[in-house]
Amino acid sequence: MYTTLPPTGMRDFLPREKEIREYVMREIRDEYKKSGFTEIETSFIENIGNLTGGDGGENSKLLFKIMMRGDKLKNADLSNPENLADYGLRFDLTLPLVRFYANNRNELPTIFKALQMGPVFRAERPQKGRYRAFTQCDIDVIGDDSNLAEIEIIQTISSTLKRLSFENFTIKINDRRILKAIVMRAGFEEEVFTDIAITLDKLDKIGIDGVKKELLSKDYSETSVQDLLDLTDSLSKDGIEGIKEACPEGYENLKQIIEVIQSIEDGFNIEFDFTLVRGMGYYTSTIFEITYSDLGYAIAGGGRYDKMVGKISGVDVPAVGFSIGFERIVDLLLSEDKLSTDGEKIALLFSDDQPLSAVIQSAVALRKSYAVVSLYKQKKKLGKQLSQLSKLGYNGYVVFSTDSEGLEVKQFEEK
Amino acid sequence: MYTTLPPTGMRDFLPREKEIREYVMREIRDEYKKSGFTEIETSFIENIGNLTGGDGGENSKLLFKIMMRGDKLKNADLSNPENLADYGLRFDLTLPLVRFYANNRNELPTIFKALQMGPVFRAERPQKGRYRAFTQCDIDVIGDDSNLAEIEIIQTISSTLKRLSFENFTIKINDRRILKAIVMRAGFEEEVFTDIAITLDKLDKIGIDGVKKELLSKDYSETSVQDLLDLTDSLSKDGIEGIKEACPEGYENLKQIIEVIQSIEDGFNIEFDFTLVRGMGYYTSTIFEITYSDLGYAIAGGGRYDKMVGKISGVDVPAVGFSIGFERIVDLLLSEDKLSTDGEKIALLFSDDQPLSAVIQSAVALRKSYAVVSLYKQKKKLGKQLSQLSKLGYNGYVVFSTDSEGLEVKQFEEK
């Protein structure tokens, strides 16, 4: 019983889509490599224990689990299907990277600048624009505790987005320690920090009144909530200088990053945004994301996660990571038609009575001058064939002839 | 509970390995595209029914099955674990291609020249050099019943292997119809053709006596076996001319392919090999493979499969496919050190007391002239640092200075 559609939420890519995907990957890869990031690849399949180990948050609930095979399955406890999976498909590239680093640390440089591009899998409820298999593009700097790591990452992603012809993007940056400092200064307990942060993250959507209402509905003390709102109000007014006293280490960190990034070239708009929270629990200090013109969402984001490598390898190693929303970039390029073309595509037409050897030889020769040369048998209705070739993206055609001296490339006629 | 190794038979790739893999993929992709093949991507995950549907042969037994999720799993019949999987990981690229073609036929050209590169998964018993996840690179021509399809594929793969600096390769070619004709002429029944073919395939390993012994041990009639051996003997002597009468359609097909391929350029060694069988059951006529110097195995192979598209789509469409053993190509390039380099890699050294903005600006400027420019803090022991950078593949370094006019790139000293 065959089905011709891919499974729910999975995709095939037609030539035009695939061309854009490959183009974007190549551009990103080449630009990242220029800055000294080296590419690695990690297994798409992980041992199930790594995926359910706790750092995946919500993603751990969206696993595609792979069933045991052979004797292992025969001897397994059938009463609980949870026991029947030994592997799973990875849900991000960060966990595999950290496992990879723990496994290969002795063969890697002290400061390891990693680039990874590849598919990840999440069994989310399918909906428009959300897929169950999608590509992520990550860069990470492992082993550098200075904010040179953040600066290099932000500089590299900026030049990459420029290479892809994006101009109006804004880098929003924050430091988790700042958020923590103001929450605690307002009198909240450390344990409720994440909960408060989630509400604060909505400031630009629901406004200061909305935040107040939501926090009060959660039964936090009215004094603390008011103190927090006063603090955030003064931060909105004073910008980064407003936190100099409350969180000097966060202040110094962000001030340096912002200064350096602003100094590099025009086009990099970087803003301190104390309401930026970001989802993943593992970030420890700097967090940042990139928004593009007036899209309502980030097209890329990342942060510092200094504790995660230690959790898996047993040795604490500082790390900063950054992920581009590859599918969003592709969608934007498709909608804005920013793709540069790949060079001239030529169709070489021939007929059955012509010697195939000579035809093939001509094709080989033409391939030295043209990006693509594809053979086609000439059809009786030449006009119709030419208009089809034009639709397929060919830029011109050659009619093969044994008597002509050269093979003349002709353009399709305008309609 | 974290494990740092990838699952059994799966791999991670360190920077040097990944670089070679990407280099090979890019070269193959670019050369294939020059001949008019267009790249597509198909889902890594298939509905389980497609994978167990019968055309996969042995591979169907090596499935990684994905467990149902949520309510589907809750309502499933737990007594038989076979019922708990709804998806599986693909084991080759041909089945997904045919499914893709059946699904998108209206959007594809009449003759569709497809290129696919990507991972496939087989739960084989792990052993040295055999992996459970590996990359395949396929080209296929769907919709062309003439042997122009075979010729284009063979010509393209030849130029691709040359581009990768392989010179001494041999293309072996046969036609299933020839094999069938001689087996039937020797008096065997059609049903035993595959069984006979499997033994005949071993001719170059076990010799004519070995083949005889094996066939007799299978209880085939001595007369038929002797007739078969006499026929193969005369084929060995007369080459392709020896089958002109027994199988005229196979003769015409191969003669034309061989003539055209031989005429193109020197370096293409193509040989008729009537003992070539190839494993997959779906091939209908032309089959071919490529061997490299005196390696004992094929590095690439393919053939015509005119019935498979019809089986899935309901409409018979002729097709020819070809797959490069990507992992073998990579291993060969690694062992022969044929890889061309990626351009000059430069390390930019700076110290903490230097202004980071100016350092980053220099890096951005240097990236216009050098392939890779990576920042490093200068260490106290400069000699040791330089020798480490040299080991990491850097070609030179720059010591950042604010007072020098230009940034001078220095070479590492020879040891």
Side-chain angles (χ1 to χ4, degrees):
Chain A
M1 253 275 298
Y2 291 106
T3 40
T4 60
L5 285 170
T8 314
M10 310 284 171
R11 290 170 293 173
D12 299 322
F13 298 104
L14 285 160
R16 174 73 183 157
E17 298 166 289
K18 180 64 178 170
E19 189 181 350
I20 289 172
R21 296 177 75 81
E22 279 305 315
Y23 165 81
V24 174
M25 284 217 203
R26 193 179 280 209
E27 295 293 299
I28 293 176
R29 173 180 287 129
D30 286 353
E31 194 64 28
Y32 281 1
K33 281 188 161 182
K34 272 189 97 67
S35 296
F37 288 88
T38 52
E39 192 171 11
I40 61 158
E41 184 178 318
T42 53
S43 172
F44 300 172
I45 299 177
E46 286 283 335
N47 284 301
I48 193 89
N50 286 4
L51 300 172
T52 53
D55 263 325
E58 280 302 300
N59 294 330
S60 296
K61 297 177 192 156
L62 304 173
L63 286 186
F64 284 108
K65 295 180 182 176
I66 295 174
M67 274 174 61
M68 294 171 175
R69 298 144 305 279
D71 289 346
K72 221 168 157 186
L73 182 62
K74 273 184 203 139
N75 299 329
D77 168 19
L78 283 186
S79 67
N80 182 0
E82 295 295 321
N83 299 334
L84 301 181
D86 54 354
Y87 303 147
L89 295 176
R90 65 185 182 188
F91 51 74
D92 75 2
L93 300 178
T94 307
L95 179 110
L97 170 69
V98 173
R99 180 188 56 68
F100 170 94
Y101 182 81
N103 191 33
N104 295 290
R105 197 174 165 192
N106 292 338
E107 292 180 62
L108 299 171
T110 325
I111 294 178
F112 178 48
K113 295 164 78 175
L115 156 61
Q116 251 195 113
M117 313 178 97
V120 301
F121 305 86
R122 296 178 192 170
E124 299 201 71
R125 191 168 297 274
Q127 60 184 66
K128 198 176 169 334
R130 181 181 286 178
Y131 303 103
R132 292 178 142 198
F134 56 95
T135 296
Q136 286 196 331
C137 298
D138 283 17
I139 42 176
D140 293 80
V141 178
I142 302 187
D144 189 350
D145 59 7
S146 83
N147 61 14
L148 175 63
E150 280 93 334
I151 289 168
E152 280 206 278
I153 283 179
I154 294 172
Q155 190 275 314
T156 303
I157 175 70
S158 301
S159 59
T160 304
L161 288 173
K162 279 193 177 172
R163 182 166 171 153
L164 289 167
S165 311
F166 291 110
E167 290 295 340
N168 300 314
F169 52 84
T170 298
I171 301 152
K172 291 188 172 180
I173 192 163
N174 196 8
D175 189 312
R176 279 262 166 106
R177 293 170 298 185
I178 292 171
L179 219 49
K180 210 161 202 164
I182 58 172
V183 167
M184 296 188 62
R185 183 168 276 221
F188 293 94
E189 299 293 321
E190 193 164 354
E191 303 91 74
V192 301
F193 165 67
T194 311
D195 188 48
I196 305 275
I198 288 168
T199 302
L200 219 46
D201 192 27
K202 301 179 189 164
L203 190 60
D204 55 345
K205 286 196 193 99
I206 61 177
I208 202 148
D209 290 339
V211 168
K212 186 172 181 178
K213 211 170 150 188
E214 185 168 314
L215 289 176
L216 291 176
S217 78
K218 287 175 174 176
D219 278 342
Y220 291 117
S221 98
E222 206 167 331
T223 329
S224 291
V225 170
Q226 195 51 55
D227 281 356
L228 181 69
L229 295 180
D230 290 346
L231 276 165
T232 58
D233 189 47
S234 76
L235 275 179
S236 312
K237 285 190 192 115
D238 304 339
I240 191 165
E241 295 302 326
I243 48 123
K244 193 171 180 176
E245 211 189 305
C247 181
E249 68 279 24
Y251 170 77
E252 289 298 332
N253 176 38
L254 293 192
K255 196 172 164 66
Q256 186 171 33
I257 296 173
I258 292 170
E259 268 177 16
V260 174
I261 293 298
Q262 279 177 339
S263 77
I264 299 174
E265 245 179 277
D266 42 12
F268 299 82
N269 184 19
I270 184 163
E271 285 174 3
F272 167 56
D273 179 353
F274 72 95
T275 67
L276 182 69
V277 174
R278 295 194 58 74
M280 301 307 284
Y282 51 62
Y283 291 125
T284 49
S285 55
T286 323
I287 44 178
F288 44 97
E289 62 182 35
I290 293 181
T291 53
Y292 177 62
S293 50
D294 25 48
L295 284 176
Y297 50 76
I299 57 169
R304 182 172 278 279
Y305 54 100
D306 281 349
K307 297 293 164 198
M308 195 172 162
V309 178
K311 215 165 162 179
I312 292 185
S313 73
V315 185
D316 261 344
V317 181
V320 186
F322 185 85
S323 186
I324 280 192
F326 176 79
E327 306 292 342
R328 287 176 178 177
I329 299 274
V330 168
D331 285 348
L332 277 173
L333 285 170
L334 276 167
S335 69
E336 299 195 358
D337 204 17
K338 284 183 185 235
L339 186 70
S340 65
T341 58
D342 261 358
E344 271 204 283
K345 286 175 74 173
I346 300 295
L348 174 57
L349 307 180
F350 68 101
S351 52
D352 272 336
D353 55 0
Q354 289 171 322
L356 203 46
S357 299
V359 173
I360 301 273
Q361 278 162 27
S362 297
V364 171
L366 282 165
R367 278 175 198 142
K368 289 177 181 136
S369 319
Y370 294 93
V372 174
V373 177
S374 194
L375 293 171
Y376 287 94
K377 279 196 187 149
Q378 191 172 331
K379 293 192 178 153
K380 277 182 192 149
K381 294 183 178 169
L382 183 63
K384 199 181 161 200
Q385 187 176 18
L386 293 181
S387 100
Q388 280 173 342
L389 289 169
S390 170
K391 269 184 208 149
L392 284 172
Y394 284 90
N395 306 101
Y397 68 102
V398 177
V399 177
F400 178 78
S401 159
T402 40
D403 20 80
S404 79
E405 289 206 309
L407 291 156
E408 192 199 342
V409 174
K410 295 173 193 157
Q411 304 299 308
F412 299 113
E413 274 171 39
E414 294 290 329
K415 281 193 219 129
Chain B
M1 251 271 301
Y2 290 106
T3 41
T4 60
L5 285 170
T8 315
M10 310 284 171
R11 290 170 292 171
D12 298 323
F13 297 104
L14 285 159
R16 173 72 183 156
E17 297 166 287
K18 181 63 178 172
E19 189 180 353
I20 289 172
R21 295 177 75 81
E22 278 306 315
Y23 165 81
V24 174
M25 284 218 205
R26 193 179 281 211
E27 294 294 299
I28 293 175
R29 173 179 288 130
D30 286 352
E31 194 64 27
Y32 281 179
K33 281 189 162 182
K34 272 190 96 65
S35 296
F37 288 88
T38 51
E39 192 170 12
I40 60 157
E41 183 178 316
T42 53
S43 171
F44 301 171
I45 300 176
E46 286 283 335
N47 284 301
I48 193 90
N50 286 5
L51 300 172
T52 53
D55 262 325
E58 282 301 301
N59 295 330
S60 296
K61 298 178 192 155
L62 304 172
L63 286 185
F64 283 108
K65 294 179 181 174
I66 295 174
M67 273 173 59
M68 293 172 175
R69 299 144 304 280
D71 288 345
K72 222 167 157 186
L73 182 62
K74 272 184 203 138
N75 300 329
D77 168 18
L78 283 186
S79 66
N80 182 1
E82 296 295 321
N83 299 334
L84 302 181
D86 55 353
Y87 302 147
L89 296 176
R90 65 184 181 189
F91 51 74
D92 74 2
L93 300 178
T94 307
L95 179 109
L97 171 69
V98 173
R99 180 188 57 68
F100 171 92
Y101 183 80
N103 191 32
N104 295 289
R105 199 174 163 193
N106 292 337
E107 290 180 64
L108 299 171
T110 325
I111 295 179
F112 177 47
K113 296 164 76 175
L115 155 61
Q116 252 196 111
M117 314 178 98
V120 301
F121 306 85
R122 296 180 191 169
E124 300 201 71
R125 193 168 295 275
Q127 60 185 65
K128 196 175 170 332
R130 181 180 287 175
Y131 303 103
R132 292 179 144 198
F134 55 97
T135 296
Q136 286 196 331
C137 297
D138 284 17
I139 42 176
D140 294 79
V141 178
I142 302 187
D144 189 350
D145 59 7
S146 82
N147 61 16
L148 175 63
E150 281 92 334
I151 289 168
E152 281 206 278
I153 283 179
I154 295 173
Q155 189 275 314
T156 303
I157 173 71
S158 300
S159 60
T160 304
L161 288 173
K162 279 192 176 172
R163 181 167 173 154
L164 289 167
S165 311
F166 291 110
E167 290 295 340
N168 301 313
F169 53 85
T170 298
I171 301 152
K172 291 186 173 179
I173 191 161
N174 196 9
D175 189 311
R176 279 261 165 107
R177 294 169 299 183
I178 291 171
L179 218 50
K180 212 160 200 165
I182 58 172
V183 167
M184 296 190 63
R185 182 168 278 220
F188 293 94
E189 299 294 321
E190 194 166 351
E191 303 90 73
V192 301
F193 165 68
T194 310
D195 189 49
I196 305 276
I198 288 167
T199 304
L200 219 49
D201 192 27
K202 301 180 188 163
L203 191 60
D204 56 343
K205 286 196 190 97
I206 61 177
I208 202 149
D209 290 340
V211 169
K212 187 172 179 175
K213 211 170 150 189
E214 186 169 313
L215 288 177
L216 290 176
S217 78
K218 288 177 175 176
D219 279 340
Y220 290 117
S221 100
E222 208 167 332
T223 329
S224 291
V225 170
Q226 196 51 55
D227 281 356
L228 181 70
L229 296 180
D230 290 347
L231 276 166
T232 59
D233 190 47
S234 75
L235 275 179
S236 313
K237 285 189 191 113
D238 304 339
I240 191 167
E241 295 301 326
I243 48 121
K244 193 170 180 175
E245 209 188 306
C247 182
E249 69 280 21
Y251 169 79
E252 287 299 334
N253 176 38
L254 293 191
K255 196 171 164 65
Q256 186 171 34
I257 296 174
I258 292 171
E259 269 176 16
V260 174
I261 294 299
Q262 280 176 340
S263 78
I264 299 174
E265 243 180 277
D266 42 13
F268 300 82
N269 183 20
I270 182 162
E271 286 174 4
F272 167 55
D273 179 353
F274 71 95
T275 67
L276 181 69
V277 173
R278 296 195 56 76
M280 302 307 284
Y282 51 62
Y283 291 127
T284 50
S285 55
T286 322
I287 44 179
F288 44 95
E289 63 182 37
I290 293 180
T291 54
Y292 177 61
S293 51
D294 25 49
L295 285 175
Y297 50 76
I299 57 168
R304 182 173 279 279
Y305 53 101
D306 281 349
K307 298 293 166 199
M308 195 171 162
V309 178
K311 216 165 159 179
I312 294 186
S313 73
V315 185
D316 261 344
V317 182
V320 186
F322 185 85
S323 185
I324 280 192
F326 176 79
E327 306 292 342
R328 287 175 177 177
I329 299 273
V330 168
D331 286 348
L332 277 173
L333 284 170
L334 276 167
S335 68
E336 299 194 358
D337 205 18
K338 283 183 185 233
L339 186 70
S340 66
T341 58
D342 261 359
E344 273 203 284
K345 285 175 73 174
I346 300 295
L348 175 58
L349 307 180
F350 67 100
S351 51
D352 272 336
D353 54 2
Q354 289 170 322
L356 202 45
S357 298
V359 173
I360 301 273
Q361 277 163 26
S362 298
V364 171
L366 283 166
R367 279 176 196 140
K368 289 178 182 136
S369 318
Y370 295 93
V372 174
V373 177
S374 194
L375 292 171
Y376 287 94
K377 279 195 187 153
Q378 191 173 329
K379 291 191 179 155
K380 277 183 192 152
K381 293 183 180 172
L382 183 63
K384 197 180 162 201
Q385 186 177 21
L386 293 181
S387 100
Q388 280 173 342
L389 288 169
S390 171
K391 271 185 206 148
L392 284 173
Y394 284 89
N395 306 100
Y397 68 102
V398 176
V399 178
F400 177 80
S401 159
T402 40
D403 21 78
S404 78
E405 290 207 310
L407 292 155
E408 191 198 345
V409 173
K410 295 174 193 159
Q411 304 300 308
F412 299 113
E413 276 173 40
E414 294 290 327
K415 275 188 224 139

